């Protein structure tokens, strides 16, 4: 565990009175929200950030904003635990597995584990389970490694994930189709169809076409790769911190409102809540919701 200039948790005498040790707050996730939260908390609390990937900053560890927030957090004594998955919150301690695994006593947990697009079920896309239907987060990784998704790529959604995928698809294809009402600018080569939704996928074992509707009419169009990029759903993958409870603070977009959400602002707000909404110091064994560690 890299503690930077970590403070020691101790009781200090000042003028004959005991000064209580600072609260220990654990943060799950080291994206912009988690790092912003840790940087603010580092001024008043002892903080440990857990990141499941082996580098702090997660998937965007080379991004300049992530690097800057990490440096600020380190300067304030924040400890980092890369390669360590937060598994279960028990009210007064966090169970983690990995490089810095074990039980970590804490006063509060901040969940900053990010977001995902809606699944096809959540987007109400009917049809057989078939190859070629992938979430935008996976599509982005494949495109970064120069994997061609298909010749007729359709992107469901028109937010940040959709634009990222569209930009990469158009580097190797003449066009792609975006279904949704964009609030961001898309490349001119992308065919954008506002107000159109996917009803069902057609074809097995790989998708061949989709049935779509604009509310007035329904038609079928060719599609050999459907990218799910709609929505902004928070990950809830820590047992005991799936639902609201004392001592658990979410640095996530709880309203699924991607356009107005800022991860840095969410992290700063979560830090303020974490300092004031500590969990009761009673151990509370948690009924597993996700599975045994």
């Amino acid at each position: 565990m890299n503690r930077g200039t970590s403070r020691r948790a101790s009781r200090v005498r000042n003028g004959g009175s005991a000064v209580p040790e600072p609260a220990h707050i654990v943060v799950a996730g080291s994206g912009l929200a988690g790092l912003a939260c840790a940087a603010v908390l580092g001024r008043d609390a002892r903080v440990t950030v857990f990141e499941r990937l082996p580098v702090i900053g997660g998937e965007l560890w080379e991004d300049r904003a992530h690097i800057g927030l990490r440096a600020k957090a380190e300067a304030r004594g924040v400890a980092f635990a890369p390669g360590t998955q937060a598994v279960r919150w028990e009210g007064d301690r966090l169970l983690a597995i990995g490089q810095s695994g074990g039980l970590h006593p804490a006063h509060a947990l901040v969940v900053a584990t990010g977001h995902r697009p809606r699944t096809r079920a959540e987007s109400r896309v009917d049809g057989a389970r078939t190859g070629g239907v992938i979430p935008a987060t996976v599509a982005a990784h494949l495109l970064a490694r120069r994997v061609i998704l298909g010749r007729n790529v359709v992107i469901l959604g028109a937010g940040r994930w959709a634009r990222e995928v569209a930009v990469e698809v158009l580097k190797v294809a003449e066009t792609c189709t975006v279904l949704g009402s964009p609030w961001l600018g898309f490349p001119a080569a992308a065919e954008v169809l506002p107000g159109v939704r996917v009803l069902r996928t057609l074809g097995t074992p790989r998708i061949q076409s989709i049935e779509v509707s604009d509310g007035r009419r329904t038609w079928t169009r060719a599609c050999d790769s459907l990218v799910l990029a709609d929505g902004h759903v928070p990950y809830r993958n820590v047992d005991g911190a799936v639902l609201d409870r004392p001592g658990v603070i979410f640095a996530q977009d709880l309203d699924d409102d991607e356009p107005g959400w800022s991860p840095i602002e969410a992290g700063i707000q979560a830090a303020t809540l974490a300092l004031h909404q500590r969990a009761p110091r009673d151990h509370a064994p948690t009924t597993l919701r996700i599975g045994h560690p």
Side-chain angles (χ1 to χ4, degrees):
M1 182 184 297
N2 175 19
R3 292 188 175 276
T5 56
S6 178
R7 305 179 190 84
R8 300 292 182 182
S10 61
R11 296 181 69 85
V12 181
R13 293 283 178 179
N14 181 13
S17 60
V19 178
E21 65 180 26
H24 181 212
I25 298 174
V26 291
V27 180
S30 67
L32 288 178
L35 290 174
C37 179
V40 174
L41 286 173
R43 295 178 299 195
D44 302 300
R46 189 163 59 93
V47 185
T48 305
V49 178
F50 293 87
E51 169 57 53
R52 64 180 178 84
L53 296 180
V55 289
I56 296 303
E59 298 172 356
L60 300 176
W61 61 278
E62 294 180 301
D63 173 68
R64 185 174 299 176
H66 288 73
I67 293 172
L69 285 171
R70 175 181 177 175
K72 182 180 292 186
E74 286 179 330
R76 292 175 176 173
V78 172
F80 291 100
T84 307
Q85 174 74 53
V87 175
R88 185 171 70 222
W89 173 249
E90 295 191 345
D92 66 344
R93 68 196 72 179
L94 178 72
L95 172 65
I97 57 175
Q99 184 175 332
S100 301
L103 285 169
H104 300 267
H107 295 84
L109 165 68
V110 176
V111 178
T113 48
H115 303 78
R116 59 170 177 81
R118 293 191 186 103
T119 64
R120 59 179 295 167
E122 290 169 334
S123 296
R124 299 184 179 182
V125 177
D126 201 356
R129 295 179 64 85
T130 182
V133 180
I134 55 178
T137 46
V138 174
H141 283 295
L142 293 175
L143 290 165
R145 287 153 183 79
R146 300 183 180 180
V147 176
I148 296 176
L149 301 183
R151 294 183 178 180
N152 297 296
V153 178
V154 176
I155 304 170
L156 177 58
R160 292 188 182 92
W161 281 315
R163 183 177 63 174
E164 178 182 352
V165 171
V167 168
E168 294 302 317
V169 167
L170 291 172
K171 291 180 179 179
V172 295
E174 292 184 0
T175 187
C176 67
T177 302
V178 178
L179 305 182
S181 301
W183 50 273
L184 296 169
F186 277 78
E191 179 187 14
V192 180
L193 301 178
V196 176
R197 60 180 294 262
V198 179
L199 299 180
R200 61 177 52 84
T201 59
L202 304 170
T204 57
R206 183 180 177 88
I207 185 173
Q208 298 174 0
S209 60
I210 54 175
E211 185 177 302
V212 298
S213 174
D214 61 2
R216 300 185 302 274
R217 64 188 183 98
T218 299
W219 70 98
T220 301
R221 64 180 299 141
C223 172
D224 59 3
S225 182
L226 177 62
V227 178
L228 304 175
D230 189 33
H232 199 231
V233 183
Y235 275 119
R236 294 292 176 86
N237 53 2
V238 180
D239 278 325
V242 175
L243 303 175
D244 292 337
R245 62 180 292 182
V248 177
I249 298 92
F250 297 102
Q252 295 175 310
D253 181 5
L254 305 184
D255 297 322
D256 194 13
D257 182 22
E258 186 187 5
W261 188 77
S262 163
I264 293 178
E265 290 180 7
I268 294 172
Q269 292 173 5
T272 302
L273 292 173
L275 289 171
H276 295 90
Q277 296 185 14
R278 302 180 191 177
R281 295 298 292 157
D282 297 326
H283 177 61
T286 301
T287 301
L288 296 184
R289 294 179 177 272
I290 299 173
H292 292 277

